[in-house]
Amino acid sequence: MFSSSLADAPLVREPVHAPVAHLIRGGIVEGIHYGSVVVLDADGEVRLQIGDIEAAFYPRSAIKPVQAVAMVRAGLPLDGELLSLTAASHSGEERHLAGTRRILELAGLTEDHLRNVPDMPFDPVVRDAWVREGRMPSRLAQNCSGKHAAMLYTCTLNGWPLENYLDPGHPLQQAIAEIVEDLTGQRIARVTVDGCGAPLFSISLHGLARATARITGAAPGTPEARVADAMREHAEMASGSGRDVAALMRAVPGLLSKDGFEGVQVAALPDGRAVAVKIADGANRARVPVAAAGLAWAGVEPGLLAEFAGEPLLGGGREVGRVRPVRSLEPLAAADRA
């Protein structure tokens, strides 16, 4: 697994984050979100960095496209909607549940084989409907169920045991770790357990951007390109109706984007340009405008990103401010430096 061509694992340290977004109310900075941002050019060079892009961190669900690539390399035959669902943090809509059931059926398995944690749907509207209907948490509704179903399918295809498929020493997880290192170009710093119960690998923010760029820039027909195509063509399966990550992929032609808990966002274009964001306090309200500003820095037309510029702050029912990226991230600043 440890190729001599890999860079050393990122250092485990307290990250030195920097201001990336301001909470502005009535013309005054009311709050500051700290974080880190990296923007890569098409040649893989760092065009912009803010904060600490080399410290070890957990990419959470933003690593799912890489995990999906690993499963396709291991023989997973899915494409289209079901492959998008494999890389999803889905909303728990009926289409997501039906897709997960279909993956399990293809594997000859049932929901009982899943080992992710039972949960209610991620989308608040869908979750509220479940509560009204008296439905209980389930493994199928949990937002990572598509990934887990695909993990089980990959195991059946390779003759790997099913009962311990989440063990870091399991052949499936070893294969995923190998591809994480291959695509990020660096060794894994640490392994822990993600919220769903699957192994979670610590890399750097720079490594996450590099891996996503390699997926979007891969040759047609490769496992990487299959995952990228599936997610872009079926953005709602990779997230859900009304989710910002799907809206971002629809707004920017060719864009692949994935979010993760604790304020993580990654996005990349087919020519290899990429942006990765980590918001230190995990705030979603800063994740989206900072990622959009990073994309403007990467050369995306700012007009395509207007709806992602930052949510309004209300006072007495009217807008009195917004969450704004710091000046060095604003599109005009990007244009000045182009």
Side-chain angles (χ1 to χ4, degrees), residues 136-157:
M136 301 299 291
S138 76
R139 298 185 194 275
L140 206 63
Q142 197 268 337
N143 75 91
C144 301
S145 64
K147 177 183 76 174
H148 281 254
M151 285 180 169
L152 286 165
Y153 191 10
T154 305
C155 288
T156 64
L157 293 167

PDB file of all heavy atoms in Angstrom, residues 136-157:
ATOM      1  N   MET A 136     -39.618   5.310  12.014  1.00  0.00           N
ATOM      2  CA  MET A 136     -38.473   5.257  12.917  1.00  0.00           C
ATOM      3  C   MET A 136     -37.160   5.364  12.145  1.00  0.00           C
ATOM      4  O   MET A 136     -37.123   5.139  10.931  1.00  0.00           O
ATOM      5  CB  MET A 136     -38.507   3.949  13.713  1.00  0.00           C
ATOM      6  CG  MET A 136     -39.771   3.750  14.539  1.00  0.00           C
ATOM      7  SD  MET A 136     -39.979   5.062  15.774  1.00  0.00           S
ATOM      8  CE  MET A 136     -38.620   4.671  16.883  1.00  0.00           C
ATOM      9  N   PRO A 137     -36.056   5.684  12.831  1.00  0.00           N
ATOM     10  CA  PRO A 137     -34.751   5.687  12.169  1.00  0.00           C
ATOM     11  C   PRO A 137     -34.453   4.325  11.544  1.00  0.00           C
ATOM     12  O   PRO A 137     -34.858   3.289  12.077  1.00  0.00           O
ATOM     13  CB  PRO A 137     -33.777   5.995  13.313  1.00  0.00           C
ATOM     14  CG  PRO A 137     -34.602   6.711  14.333  1.00  0.00           C
ATOM     15  CD  PRO A 137     -35.965   6.097  14.248  1.00  0.00           C
ATOM     16  N   SER A 138     -33.744   4.360  10.423  1.00  0.00           N
ATOM     17  CA  SER A 138     -33.377   3.114   9.755  1.00  0.00           C
ATOM     18  C   SER A 138     -32.009   3.251   9.105  1.00  0.00           C
ATOM     19  O   SER A 138     -31.542   4.362   8.843  1.00  0.00           O
ATOM     20  CB  SER A 138     -34.414   2.730   8.689  1.00  0.00           C
ATOM     21  OG  SER A 138     -34.264   3.523   7.524  1.00  0.00           O
ATOM     22  N   ARG A 139     -31.385   2.122   8.848  1.00  0.00           N
ATOM     23  CA  ARG A 139     -30.091   2.135   8.158  1.00  0.00           C
ATOM     24  C   ARG A 139     -30.269   2.611   6.715  1.00  0.00           C
ATOM     25  O   ARG A 139     -29.383   3.247   6.147  1.00  0.00           O
ATOM     26  CB  ARG A 139     -29.464   0.745   8.197  1.00  0.00           C
ATOM     27  CG  ARG A 139     -29.163   0.243   9.605  1.00  0.00           C
ATOM     28  CD  ARG A 139     -28.430  -1.109   9.566  1.00  0.00           C
ATOM     29  NE  ARG A 139     -28.424  -1.750  10.871  1.00  0.00           N
ATOM     30  CZ  ARG A 139     -27.532  -1.509  11.829  1.00  0.00           C
ATOM     31  NH1 ARG A 139     -26.585  -0.611  11.627  1.00  0.00           N
ATOM     32  NH2 ARG A 139     -27.595  -2.135  12.989  1.00  0.00           N
ATOM     33  N   LEU A 140     -31.407   2.306   6.120  1.00  0.00           N
ATOM     34  CA  LEU A 140     -31.669   2.691   4.739  1.00  0.00           C
ATOM     35  C   LEU A 140     -31.783   4.205   4.606  1.00  0.00           C
ATOM     36  O   LEU A 140     -31.333   4.784   3.614  1.00  0.00           O
ATOM     37  CB  LEU A 140     -32.961   2.028   4.258  1.00  0.00           C
ATOM     38  CG  LEU A 140     -33.119   1.779   2.762  1.00  0.00           C
ATOM     39  CD1 LEU A 140     -32.071   0.807   2.255  1.00  0.00           C
ATOM     40  CD2 LEU A 140     -34.518   1.251   2.463  1.00  0.00           C
ATOM     41  N   ALA A 141     -32.378   4.854   5.600  1.00  0.00           N
ATOM     42  CA  ALA A 141     -32.589   6.300   5.537  1.00  0.00           C
ATOM     43  C   ALA A 141     -31.327   7.091   5.846  1.00  0.00           C
ATOM     44  O   ALA A 141     -31.218   8.264   5.459  1.00  0.00           O
ATOM     45  CB  ALA A 141     -33.690   6.708   6.513  1.00  0.00           C
ATOM     46  N   GLN A 142     -30.384   6.502   6.545  1.00  0.00           N
ATOM     47  CA  GLN A 142     -29.153   7.201   6.915  1.00  0.00           C
ATOM     48  C   GLN A 142     -28.414   7.651   5.656  1.00  0.00           C
ATOM     49  O   GLN A 142     -28.385   6.941   4.648  1.00  0.00           O
ATOM     50  CB  GLN A 142     -28.267   6.285   7.767  1.00  0.00           C
ATOM     51  CG  GLN A 142     -27.183   6.989   8.535  1.00  0.00           C
ATOM     52  CD  GLN A 142     -25.870   7.066   7.768  1.00  0.00           C
ATOM     53  OE1 GLN A 142     -25.618   6.274   6.868  1.00  0.00           O
ATOM     54  NE2 GLN A 142     -25.030   8.019   8.143  1.00  0.00           N
ATOM     55  N   ASN A 143     -27.809   8.831   5.687  1.00  0.00           N
ATOM     56  CA  ASN A 143     -27.354   9.468   4.445  1.00  0.00           C
ATOM     57  C   ASN A 143     -26.216   8.756   3.730  1.00  0.00           C
ATOM     58  O   ASN A 143     -25.925   9.064   2.579  1.00  0.00           O
ATOM     59  CB  ASN A 143     -26.983  10.935   4.719  1.00  0.00           C
ATOM     60  CG  ASN A 143     -25.667  11.088   5.440  1.00  0.00           C
ATOM     61  OD1 ASN A 143     -24.619  11.213   4.836  1.00  0.00           O
ATOM     62  ND2 ASN A 143     -25.705  11.090   6.766  1.00  0.00           N
ATOM     63  N   CYS A 144     -25.578   7.787   4.369  1.00  0.00           N
ATOM     64  CA  CYS A 144     -24.483   7.040   3.738  1.00  0.00           C
ATOM     65  C   CYS A 144     -24.896   5.639   3.273  1.00  0.00           C
ATOM     66  O   CYS A 144     -24.039   4.829   2.926  1.00  0.00           O
ATOM     67  CB  CYS A 144     -23.307   6.905   4.702  1.00  0.00           C
ATOM     68  SG  CYS A 144     -22.621   8.462   5.288  1.00  0.00           S
ATOM     69  N   SER A 145     -26.202   5.353   3.255  1.00  0.00           N
ATOM     70  CA  SER A 145     -26.630   3.981   2.968  1.00  0.00           C
ATOM     71  C   SER A 145     -26.250   3.530   1.560  1.00  0.00           C
ATOM     72  O   SER A 145     -25.965   2.345   1.331  1.00  0.00           O
ATOM     73  CB  SER A 145     -28.136   3.828   3.182  1.00  0.00           C
ATOM     74  OG  SER A 145     -28.873   4.630   2.289  1.00  0.00           O
ATOM     75  N   GLY A 146     -26.237   4.452   0.590  1.00  0.00           N
ATOM     76  CA  GLY A 146     -25.832   4.077  -0.763  1.00  0.00           C
ATOM     77  C   GLY A 146     -24.396   3.599  -0.806  1.00  0.00           C
ATOM     78  O   GLY A 146     -24.069   2.605  -1.473  1.00  0.00           O
ATOM     79  N   LYS A 147     -23.525   4.313  -0.107  1.00  0.00           N
ATOM     80  CA  LYS A 147     -22.117   3.905  -0.037  1.00  0.00           C
ATOM     81  C   LYS A 147     -21.984   2.544   0.617  1.00  0.00           C
ATOM     82  O   LYS A 147     -21.227   1.680   0.136  1.00  0.00           O
ATOM     83  CB  LYS A 147     -21.323   4.944   0.761  1.00  0.00           C
ATOM     84  CG  LYS A 147     -19.852   4.587   0.953  1.00  0.00           C
ATOM     85  CD  LYS A 147     -19.129   5.625   1.814  1.00  0.00           C
ATOM     86  CE  LYS A 147     -19.459   5.475   3.281  1.00  0.00           C
ATOM     87  NZ  LYS A 147     -18.651   6.377   4.127  1.00  0.00           N
ATOM     88  N   HIS A 148     -22.710   2.323   1.700  1.00  0.00           N
ATOM     89  CA  HIS A 148     -22.606   1.048   2.403  1.00  0.00           C
ATOM     90  C   HIS A 148     -23.145  -0.107   1.563  1.00  0.00           C
ATOM     91  O   HIS A 148     -22.567  -1.201   1.556  1.00  0.00           O
ATOM     92  CB  HIS A 148     -23.339   1.130   3.746  1.00  0.00           C
ATOM     93  CG  HIS A 148     -22.557   1.837   4.800  1.00  0.00           C
ATOM     94  ND1 HIS A 148     -21.935   1.180   5.843  1.00  0.00           N
ATOM     95  CD2 HIS A 148     -22.269   3.149   4.963  1.00  0.00           C
ATOM     96  CE1 HIS A 148     -21.312   2.070   6.601  1.00  0.00           C
ATOM     97  NE2 HIS A 148     -21.498   3.275   6.090  1.00  0.00           N
ATOM     98  N   ALA A 149     -24.250   0.129   0.845  1.00  0.00           N
ATOM     99  CA  ALA A 149     -24.778  -0.919  -0.034  1.00  0.00           C
ATOM    100  C   ALA A 149     -23.764  -1.268  -1.114  1.00  0.00           C
ATOM    101  O   ALA A 149     -23.555  -2.448  -1.437  1.00  0.00           O
ATOM    102  CB  ALA A 149     -26.089  -0.457  -0.659  1.00  0.00           C
ATOM    103  N   ALA A 150     -23.106  -0.239  -1.672  1.00  0.00           N
ATOM    104  CA  ALA A 150     -22.094  -0.479  -2.698  1.00  0.00           C
ATOM    105  C   ALA A 150     -20.877  -1.196  -2.121  1.00  0.00           C
ATOM    106  O   ALA A 150     -20.256  -2.029  -2.794  1.00  0.00           O
ATOM    107  CB  ALA A 150     -21.678   0.842  -3.334  1.00  0.00           C
ATOM    108  N   MET A 151     -20.520  -0.882  -0.883  1.00  0.00           N
ATOM    109  CA  MET A 151     -19.422  -1.597  -0.234  1.00  0.00           C
ATOM    110  C   MET A 151     -19.749  -3.091  -0.123  1.00  0.00           C
ATOM    111  O   MET A 151     -18.902  -3.951  -0.421  1.00  0.00           O
ATOM    112  CB  MET A 151     -19.151  -1.010   1.148  1.00  0.00           C
ATOM    113  CG  MET A 151     -18.430   0.331   1.146  1.00  0.00           C
ATOM    114  SD  MET A 151     -18.144   0.945   2.834  1.00  0.00           S
ATOM    115  CE  MET A 151     -17.026   2.311   2.504  1.00  0.00           C
ATOM    116  N   LEU A 152     -20.973  -3.389   0.279  1.00  0.00           N
ATOM    117  CA  LEU A 152     -21.375  -4.788   0.383  1.00  0.00           C
ATOM    118  C   LEU A 152     -21.378  -5.469  -0.976  1.00  0.00           C
ATOM    119  O   LEU A 152     -20.933  -6.625  -1.118  1.00  0.00           O
ATOM    120  CB  LEU A 152     -22.768  -4.873   1.020  1.00  0.00           C
ATOM    121  CG  LEU A 152     -22.831  -4.594   2.524  1.00  0.00           C
ATOM    122  CD1 LEU A 152     -24.269  -4.349   2.958  1.00  0.00           C
ATOM    123  CD2 LEU A 152     -22.214  -5.756   3.309  1.00  0.00           C
ATOM    124  N   TYR A 153     -21.865  -4.783  -2.000  1.00  0.00           N
ATOM    125  CA  TYR A 153     -21.879  -5.334  -3.361  1.00  0.00           C
ATOM    126  C   TYR A 153     -20.454  -5.620  -3.820  1.00  0.00           C
ATOM    127  O   TYR A 153     -20.168  -6.678  -4.389  1.00  0.00           O
ATOM    128  CB  TYR A 153     -22.573  -4.338  -4.287  1.00  0.00           C
ATOM    129  CG  TYR A 153     -22.917  -4.842  -5.665  1.00  0.00           C
ATOM    130  CD1 TYR A 153     -22.808  -6.192  -6.025  1.00  0.00           C
ATOM    131  CD2 TYR A 153     -23.383  -3.956  -6.638  1.00  0.00           C
ATOM    132  CE1 TYR A 153     -23.143  -6.633  -7.300  1.00  0.00           C
ATOM    133  CE2 TYR A 153     -23.718  -4.384  -7.913  1.00  0.00           C
ATOM    134  CZ  TYR A 153     -23.596  -5.723  -8.233  1.00  0.00           C
ATOM    135  OH  TYR A 153     -23.925  -6.152  -9.506  1.00  0.00           O
ATOM    136  N   THR A 154     -19.542  -4.690  -3.558  1.00  0.00           N
ATOM    137  CA  THR A 154     -18.141  -4.893  -3.930  1.00  0.00           C
ATOM    138  C   THR A 154     -17.564  -6.119  -3.229  1.00  0.00           C
ATOM    139  O   THR A 154     -16.792  -6.891  -3.817  1.00  0.00           O
ATOM    140  CB  THR A 154     -17.311  -3.643  -3.585  1.00  0.00           C
ATOM    141  OG1 THR A 154     -17.895  -2.497  -4.215  1.00  0.00           O
ATOM    142  CG2 THR A 154     -15.869  -3.784  -4.047  1.00  0.00           C
ATOM    143  N   CYS A 155     -17.946  -6.310  -1.988  1.00  0.00           N
ATOM    144  CA  CYS A 155     -17.468  -7.484  -1.246  1.00  0.00           C
ATOM    145  C   CYS A 155     -17.982  -8.780  -1.863  1.00  0.00           C
ATOM    146  O   CYS A 155     -17.224  -9.752  -2.013  1.00  0.00           O
ATOM    147  CB  CYS A 155     -17.906  -7.397   0.215  1.00  0.00           C
ATOM    148  SG  CYS A 155     -17.028  -6.156   1.185  1.00  0.00           S
ATOM    149  N   THR A 156     -19.258  -8.816  -2.235  1.00  0.00           N
ATOM    150  CA  THR A 156     -19.795 -10.050  -2.815  1.00  0.00           C
ATOM    151  C   THR A 156     -19.106 -10.380  -4.131  1.00  0.00           C
ATOM    152  O   THR A 156     -18.849 -11.549  -4.432  1.00  0.00           O
ATOM    153  CB  THR A 156     -21.317  -9.937  -3.037  1.00  0.00           C
ATOM    154  OG1 THR A 156     -21.596  -8.916  -3.999  1.00  0.00           O
ATOM    155  CG2 THR A 156     -22.040  -9.614  -1.739  1.00  0.00           C
ATOM    156  N   LEU A 157     -18.792  -9.363  -4.911  1.00  0.00           N
ATOM    157  CA  LEU A 157     -18.139  -9.584  -6.206  1.00  0.00           C
ATOM    158  C   LEU A 157     -16.725 -10.130  -6.054  1.00  0.00           C
ATOM    159  O   LEU A 157     -16.222 -10.835  -6.937  1.00  0.00           O
ATOM    160  CB  LEU A 157     -18.101  -8.273  -6.995  1.00  0.00           C
ATOM    161  CG  LEU A 157     -19.459  -7.719  -7.446  1.00  0.00           C
ATOM    162  CD1 LEU A 157     -19.318  -6.280  -7.930  1.00  0.00           C
ATOM    163  CD2 LEU A 157     -20.037  -8.594  -8.549  1.00  0.00           C
TER     164      LEU A 157
END
